[in-house]
Amino acid sequence: MSFIPSSGSGKGADLASKPVDVVIMAAGKGTRMKSRLPKVLHTLAGQPLLQHVFDTAAGLMARKVVLITGHGAEVVEASCGKHAAMAERFALEFVRQEPQLGTGHAVQQALPALADDGMVVILSGDVPLTQSDTLFHLLSVAAGQHLALLTLELPDPAGYGRIVRGADGAVQAIVEHKDASEEQRAITEVYSGIMALPAAALKRWLARLDNRNAQGEYYLTDIVKFAVAEGCSVQAYKIADAVQVAGVNSPVQLAALERAYQLRVANRLMEEGVRLADPARIDVRGDLSCAHDVSIDVNCVFMGQVSLGEGVSIGAHCVIANAVIDAGAVIHPFSHIDGEKLGVTVGQGALVGPFARLRPGARLGAEVHIGNFVEVKNSTLAAGAKANHLAYLGDATVGERVNYGAGSITANYDGANKHRTVIEADVHIGSNCVLVAPLTLGAGGTIGGGSTITKSTEAGALTVARGKQISVPNWSRPKKISKS
Ligand code: UD1
Ligand code: CA
């Protein structure tokens, strides 16, 4: 695995092919989140901040990721363990920083885990939206031998490390805000917190750090002056997109970054032709892929992997997770579709909702209708089947054109085990039936309304299983006894 230059700069190909190791700093306390949860585990677009940083590292084809933990180390490390897929993408190694004596001290803890032959990219666990492309470019600027700093211009640079340049424009140092002179504080080019450099140089320079500064911390940023003193070139790659380097320190910043992310997703969808009723009122927490002529009304949330076929229409206030919705299907407002691990599929031209609930394993064929207050779980409905009102289908196999009456349910759970209900093609089930599984209702049969069905039925038969109706003619109701 090696670093691929972002665009065809032919020079330094051998240097640029060094392996990339990523260091993620995540030992800080995150006091301003005012939360028991470690900061890097707070979520943006449904994923922990740290997951976003891991994704960036994976996009960079990192050989290894070294995660520096401190505050909440056990919780952070345990949560990484849950994401087993991570280990396939790069080798993940944890190092602990106790106590936290600054960013330079943090990276010092990672040095034993870094091989000398690599390029190191330093990231922070609380900066979630950096794009891999940006880092590829930073690496191409470092060209296997320089110190490359990701910088940006900020109208209000207070709090940040300033990029101090010499008369020739070359970077001389990063001076932290608290250590900066008035003159230096006027500099608006700041260090983003992200750098790329050769591992061997990082090791050499970090050995020289001290903490004689305004905060009594070991500043990673001090390595710039060591690089300059050694005659090693320091390159600044300035980006205009502040969102990519924005850190999360408070719930307000987290929410602002979430909105920025969602607006980007919305714009990308609209560029692909999706019609959004309001780009400010859609949330995508995962991957949403859309064919042509998809329209999405306000306040919809998409989670996990969702795919919408051509011409699909999603009504307002739907929550849709892990589902494949085929061409021409219409999901009416307030429907909840959650495929979780098994997935949900909605066939061509199907109508779902309003107020429908499709749970894991719901598989709707073409032109199926699922109406209001109908719940479907782990059930297959063949083409043209309909359950239009107030019903439950769990662990059922439903044939073509079945009509499933209002208020009917499959009693699929006997308190210990789940059983299947098979409803063959063209069965008509009246209202308010209880189908006690396991059962097979033969093709073309009819079940009278209000029946509790406990045995399988023959094809074509009418089955009624309820108390027989009786009438008492001329019935006079009891009368109140008058008290004298
Ligand atoms: C740092 C930079 C500053 C830059 C800014 C960008 C230094 C000295 N300064 O500022 O130039 O403009 O980032 O946001 O590097 N962390 C640890 N261990 C520590 C201290 C910090 O792991 O001992 C982690 C934090 O959890 C965080 C990251 O390092 O993820 C950055 O720390 P933070 O305190 O936010 O950075 P600053 O020192 O403010
Ligand atoms: Ca700090």
Side-chain angles (χ1 to χ4, degrees):
M1 278 180 258
S2 61
F3 154 52
I4 297 166
S6 57
S7 61
S9 73
K11 60 178 180 182
D14 50 335
L15 286 167
S17 66
K18 285 185 176 182
V20 175
D21 297 315
V22 170
V23 172
I24 303 173
M25 297 187 290
K29 186 145 190 233
T31 314
R32 284 196 280 150
M33 291 304 289
K34 299 196 171 125
S35 170
R36 276 183 219 284
L37 189 68
K39 179 165 72 173
V40 294
L41 298 184
H42 282 264
T43 56
L44 184 142
Q47 296 288 341
L49 297 177
L50 191 54
Q51 178 75 56
H52 289 274
V53 185
F54 282 150
D55 289 346
T56 303
L60 210 50
M61 288 170 283
R63 169 174 65 178
K64 181 187 236 185
V65 171
V66 184
L67 180 66
I68 304 164
T69 61
H71 281 283
E74 291 84 2
V75 182
V76 173
E77 289 170 12
S79 102
C80 293
K82 284 187 207 134
H83 299 275
M86 206 64 66
E88 295 162 17
R89 301 193 288 172
F90 46 71
L92 178 61
E93 187 165 336
F94 302 119
V95 301
R96 297 248 178 126
Q97 184 200 18
E98 302 279 4
Q100 288 83 39
L101 303 178
T103 51
H105 178 254
V107 180
Q108 278 171 347
Q109 313 312 306
L111 294 184
L114 295 172
D116 288 347
D117 65 339
M119 289 298 287
V120 177
V121 175
I122 297 178
L123 305 174
S124 291
D126 57 1
V127 177
L129 297 183
T130 318
Q131 287 165 14
S132 304
D133 282 357
T134 301
L135 299 180
F136 273 129
H137 195 95
L138 188 71
L139 279 163
S140 77
V141 168
Q145 52 185 330
H146 311 303
L147 168 55
L149 306 171
L150 193 64
T151 72
L152 74 161
E153 292 283 345
L154 286 182
D156 176 15
Y160 288 87
R162 305 300 204 282
I163 304 296
V164 177
R165 292 174 184 267
D168 57 353
V171 176
Q172 295 296 318
I174 297 174
V175 179
E176 292 303 310
H177 181 86
K178 288 189 175 139
D179 299 281
S181 64
E182 276 311 306
E183 201 183 340
Q184 287 167 335
R185 285 186 182 182
I187 297 171
T188 52
E189 186 184 5
V190 302
Y191 171 54
S192 67
I194 294 173
M195 62 170 73
L197 72 170
L202 176 66
K203 291 183 178 182
R204 209 161 58 236
W205 297 329
L206 279 182
R208 298 175 54 185
L209 284 190
D210 63 56
N211 63 351
R212 293 191 297 273
N213 52 53
Q215 302 186 80
E217 286 182 10
Y218 294 88
Y219 291 162
L220 174 63
T221 44
D222 277 352
I223 68 171
V224 174
K225 60 188 187 211
F226 302 142
V228 171
E230 258 187 29
C232 172
S233 103
V234 180
Q235 303 289 325
Y237 167 41
K238 201 195 282 183
I239 59 166
D241 183 8
V243 166
Q244 284 199 47
V245 295
V248 171
N249 296 297
S250 66
V252 169
Q253 288 176 349
L254 179 58
L257 214 50
E258 175 85 40
R259 285 305 101 206
Y261 173 87
Q262 294 299 345
L263 201 53
R264 282 176 187 210
V265 173
N267 284 328
R268 205 185 60 229
L269 289 169
M270 291 187 294
E271 276 158 23
E272 290 166 5
V274 178
R275 261 97 70 192
L276 299 179
D278 182 355
R281 284 184 288 169
I282 175 173
D283 281 69
V284 180
R285 301 173 190 156
D287 296 315
L288 172 62
S289 75
C290 298
H292 282 168
D293 290 309
V294 165
S295 70
I296 301 173
D297 209 335
V298 298
N299 290 337
C300 292
V301 180
F302 297 90
M303 299 188 285
Q305 308 287 322
V306 176
S307 143
L308 306 180
E310 187 166 334
V312 164
S313 162
I314 310 289
H317 306 280
C318 288
V319 175
I320 302 180
N322 298 307
V324 175
I325 299 177
D326 287 343
V330 177
I331 313 296
H332 289 294
F334 295 100
S335 293
H336 186 207
I337 299 178
D338 183 2
E340 221 189 312
K341 290 187 180 83
L342 296 174
V344 164
T345 53
V346 175
Q348 275 199 17
L351 304 180
V352 174
F355 298 100
R357 180 166 185 217
L358 302 183
R359 291 173 52 204
R363 315 240 168 265
L364 314 187
E367 312 292 334
V368 163
H369 292 185
I370 296 296
N372 42 219
F373 307 106
V374 174
E375 175 183 351
V376 181
K377 185 218 78 172
N378 194 29
S379 293
T380 303
L381 282 78
K386 293 184 174 66
N388 270 324
H389 327 269
L390 301 154
Y392 175 59
L393 279 162
D395 304 304
T397 304
V398 179
E400 295 183 351
R401 298 170 301 277
V402 163
N403 197 315
Y404 194 80
S408 292
I409 66 153
T410 52
N412 56 322
Y413 184 53
D414 61 14
N417 297 297
K418 302 225 168 100
H419 303 281
R420 280 204 86 77
T421 302
V422 177
I423 306 171
E424 291 179 353
D426 300 300
V427 166
H428 186 107
I429 296 171
S431 294
N432 210 32
C433 291
V434 178
L435 310 178
V436 183
L439 268 187
T440 296
L441 306 183
T446 302
I447 308 295
S451 294
T452 295
I453 303 294
T454 55
K455 293 191 285 268
S456 293
T457 60
E458 293 300 316
L462 165 67
T463 308
V464 183
R466 62 176 184 240
K468 238 192 174 113
Q469 180 168 326
I470 59 162
S471 290
V472 178
N474 303 318
W475 170 255
S476 60
R477 289 193 291 269
K479 295 200 173 59
K480 206 162 194 159
I481 300 162
S482 61
K483 285 182 218 153
S484 51

